């Protein structure tokens, strides 16, 4: 009975126009992403920005210990992205994203497709990268903490993994740029507060 009374009270407050806490809505009234979703999003973004330069620099270096160390970091960051993206997908099934803002239906569809393609490419790239290394018979150190065993050497399968990994990087560039462009459009052109949905409370409302 007490639970139903509280629930009814909350519904009444919403009908009466009582504003939701700042942790639920942005200053412009848009539903805010859960703090766990926010954290996973920004950790993924930071790791994605790190993993690409590590590969660029490592490939450009001559064979020496520094090159090997950079590749260990690149592979380790990639495997971390893989784990976080799996966690994000599970979390999103448990805690769905808030409703989209009122934008043209086509743009909403493009945004959703972009998100799921980003999930897909951030699964494909670490897996293909691991297979590229493992199918040469080499094990993969994870931040020098432990080692993930390699697989039986298979030159044909390794070449397939290499092709997927090399082509996949261009999908990463395209999808990330599209994601950034969409965010900039909401931020600069529409000014609808969409980015704030993925940020912690900025205006002090949560402290009152």
């Amino acid at each position: 009975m007490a639970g139903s009374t509280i629930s009814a009270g909350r519904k009444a407050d919403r009908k009466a126009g009582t504003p939701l806490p700042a942790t639920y809505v942005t200053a412009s009234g848009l539903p805010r992403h859960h703090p766990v979703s926010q954290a996973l999003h920004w950790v993924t973004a930071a790791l994605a920005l790190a993993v690409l330069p590590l590969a660029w620099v490592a490939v450009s270096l001559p064979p020496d210990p520094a090159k090997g160390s950079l590749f260990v970091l690149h592979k380790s960051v990639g495997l971390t992205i893989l784990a976080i993206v799996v966690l994000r997908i599970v979390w999103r099934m448990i805690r769905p994203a808030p409703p989209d803002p009122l934008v043209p239906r086509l743009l909403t569809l493009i945004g959703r497709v972009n998100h799921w393609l980003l999930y897909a490419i951030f699964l494909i790239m670490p897996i293909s990268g691991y297979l590229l290394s493992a199918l040469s018979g080499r094990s993969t150190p994870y931040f020098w903490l432990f080692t993930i065993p390699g697989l039986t050497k298979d030159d044909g399968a390794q070449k397939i993994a290499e092709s997927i990994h090399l082509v996949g990087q261009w999908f990463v560039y395209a999808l990330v740029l599209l994601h950034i462009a969409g965010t900039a459009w909401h931020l600069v052109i529409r000014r609808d507060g969409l980015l704030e949905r993925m940020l912690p409370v900025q205006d002090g409302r949560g402290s009152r």
Side-chain angles (χ1 to χ4, degrees), residues 40-54 74 76-82 84 122 143:
L40 292 174
H41 172 273
W42 292 111
V43 169
T44 305
L47 292 175
L49 289 176
V51 75
L52 295 172
L54 285 170
H74 173 72
S76 300
V77 172
L79 291 172
T80 305
I81 291 173
L82 173 64
I84 290 176
F122 282 136
F143 288 117

Side-chain angles (χ1 to χ4, degrees), residues 24-83:
Y24 289 92
V25 295
T26 67
S28 58
L30 293 176
R32 192 186 294 274
H33 285 271
H34 190 278
V36 172
S37 300
Q38 294 176 6
L40 292 174
H41 172 273
W42 292 111
V43 169
T44 305
L47 292 175
L49 289 176
V51 75
L52 295 172
L54 285 170
W56 299 334
V57 175
V59 169
S60 68
L61 291 177
D64 61 17
K67 184 184 186 81
S69 296
L70 284 175
F71 268 120
V72 169
L73 287 173
H74 173 72
K75 295 173 186 178
S76 300
V77 172
L79 291 172
T80 305
I81 291 173
L82 173 64

Side-chain angles (χ1 to χ4, degrees), residues 1 7 16 23 38 55 59 69 77 81 90 122 134-135 137 154 156 160 171 207:
M1 290 295 293
S7 178
T23 50
Q38 294 176 6
V59 169
S69 296
V77 172
I81 291 173
V90 172
F122 282 136
L135 288 169
D154 187 329
I160 294 173
F171 282 94
S207 62

Side-chain angles (χ1 to χ4, degrees), residues 144-166:
W144 298 278
L145 298 174
F146 57 86
T147 300
I148 302 172
L151 302 172
T152 303
K153 186 176 176 62
D154 187 329
D155 292 337
Q158 185 191 27
K159 288 181 180 179
I160 294 173
E162 182 180 21
S163 297
I164 293 172
H165 202 65
L166 291 175

Side-chain angles (χ1 to χ4, degrees), residues 9-201:
R10 288 176 177 171
K11 290 179 180 178
D13 285 344
R14 294 189 185 185
K15 289 180 180 179
T18 302
L20 290 169
T23 50
Y24 289 92
V25 295
T26 67
S28 58
L30 293 176
R32 192 186 294 274
H33 285 271
H34 190 278
V36 172
S37 300
Q38 294 176 6
L40 292 174
H41 172 273
W42 292 111
V43 169
T44 305
L47 292 175
L49 289 176
V51 75
L52 295 172
L54 285 170
W56 299 334
V57 175
V59 169
S60 68
L61 291 177
D64 61 17
K67 184 184 186 81
S69 296
L70 284 175
F71 268 120
V72 169
L73 287 173
H74 173 72
K75 295 173 186 178
S76 300
V77 172
L79 291 172
T80 305
I81 291 173
L82 173 64
I84 290 176
V85 170
V86 170
L87 181 59
R88 286 185 68 177
I89 292 172
V90 172
W91 175 252
R92 188 150 185 172
M93 289 189 293
I94 297 171
R95 185 89 180 210
D100 292 317
L102 295 176
V103 296
R105 187 172 300 178
L106 178 60
L107 294 178
T108 298
L109 178 61
I110 291 173
R112 289 180 181 177
V113 170
N114 178 254
H115 272 96
W116 286 108
L117 287 178
L118 279 169
Y119 284 149
I121 199 64
F122 282 136
L123 293 174
I124 291 169
M125 288 297 284
I127 292 172
S128 62
Y130 165 73
L131 292 175
L132 173 59
S133 178
L135 288 169
S136 67
R138 295 193 301 267
S139 57
T140 302
Y142 182 77
F143 288 117
W144 298 278
L145 298 174
F146 57 86
T147 300
I148 302 172
L151 302 172
T152 303
K153 186 176 176 62
D154 187 329
D155 292 337
Q158 185 191 27
K159 288 181 180 179
I160 294 173
E162 182 180 21
S163 297
I164 293 172
H165 202 65
L166 291 175
V167 172
Q169 68 176 316
W170 297 105
F171 282 94
V172 172
Y173 303 149
L175 292 170
V176 169
L177 286 175
L178 179 60
H179 187 67
I180 293 172
T183 302
W185 180 73
H186 281 281
L187 182 65
V188 178
I189 305 301
R190 284 184 61 87
R191 299 183 182 181
D192 55 11
L194 184 76
L195 178 60
E196 190 186 349
R197 301 199 314 161
M198 192 53 79
L199 295 173
V201 178

